[in-house]
Amino acid sequence: MRETISFVVNGEHYSKNIDVRLSLLELLREEGLTSVKHGCGVGECGACTVLIDNTPIDSCMYLAVWVDGKTIRTVEGEIKDGKISQVQQSYIDAGAVQCGYCTPGFIMTSTAFVEKHKGQNVDRDEIRKEHAGNLCRCTGYETIICAVESCLKD
Ligand code: FES
Ligand code: FES
């Protein structure tokens, strides 16, 4: 069975006739948005995290037909006029990127968190809790927490 859906990704309007069984992860990667990574495929690792109406969601567990009428953000859209976002720069400055496979998903979770808590005094446990759905096997997490912390202050 197929359905036609309309949605926005990184400011660009899409209208697609898709198989209703397609996941959002598959749809986005088919559209060339390869920052969205396929990790576990079962909602455990967060490598596939995107923002749907500014909420972090595992796109592997989300049917593409559900984005009808919604707005999606991926890492590709965080680069504006050739300039990376504050969150991306903070990850680099903090040394929070190693192999990089988890990084796009983390960046989207952090972006939503920073937009919600900018200027607030949030403790590190709260940052950890909000990123619990994203796994990283390289960094040990501390540098990621530092990156997010510095974004909240700047
Ligand atoms: S690939 Fe989606 S949570 Fe792991
Ligand atoms: S940087 Fe390698 S999994 Fe996170």
Side-chain angles (χ1 to χ4, degrees), residues 32 44 93 104 136 151:
E44 295 287 344
D93 295 344
C136 174
C151 281

Side-chain angles (χ1 to χ4, degrees), residues 96-103 135-139:
V97 181
Q98 288 190 31
C99 81
Y101 202 82
C102 71
T103 308
L135 302 183
C136 174
R137 65 179 189 181
C138 305
T139 63

Side-chain angles (χ1 to χ4, degrees), residues 86-87 89-94 114 118-119 122 124 127 143-154:
Q86 184 203 15
V87 173
Q89 189 61 55
S90 294
Y91 268 63
I92 294 168
D93 295 344
V114 168
K118 187 82 178 162
V122 180
R124 290 169 74 87
I127 300 173
T143 50
I144 292 174
I145 305 303
C146 289
V148 176
E149 205 174 26
S150 80
C151 281
L152 294 173
K153 287 181 193 143
D154 290 346

Side-chain angles (χ1 to χ4, degrees), residues 59-74:
S59 60
C60 69
M61 299 295 285
Y62 199 93
L63 286 177
V65 286
W66 293 342
V67 295
D68 191 31
K70 295 191 164 74
T71 297
I72 302 157
R73 290 165 64 188
T74 70

Side-chain angles (χ1 to χ4, degrees), residues 112-126:
F113 185 81
V114 168
E115 287 175 356
K116 197 166 153 199
H117 296 286
K118 187 82 178 162
Q120 295 173 7
N121 200 5
V122 180
D123 68 32
R124 290 169 74 87
D125 281 347
E126 184 66 20

Side-chain angles (χ1 to χ4, degrees), residues 33-86:
L33 294 158
T34 52
S35 76
V36 188
K37 301 296 183 219
H38 188 166
C40 64
V42 292
E44 295 287 344
C45 73
C48 64
T49 305
V50 300
L51 302 189
I52 300 177
D53 292 343
N54 294 323
T55 298
I57 300 283
D58 291 337
S59 60
C60 69
M61 299 295 285
Y62 199 93
L63 286 177
V65 286
W66 293 342
V67 295
D68 191 31
K70 295 191 164 74
T71 297
I72 302 157
R73 290 165 64 188
T74 70
V75 157
E76 285 87 347
E78 298 305 297
I79 301 161
K80 309 253 162 64
D81 300 324
K83 202 167 172 279
I84 62 174
S85 71
Q86 184 203 15

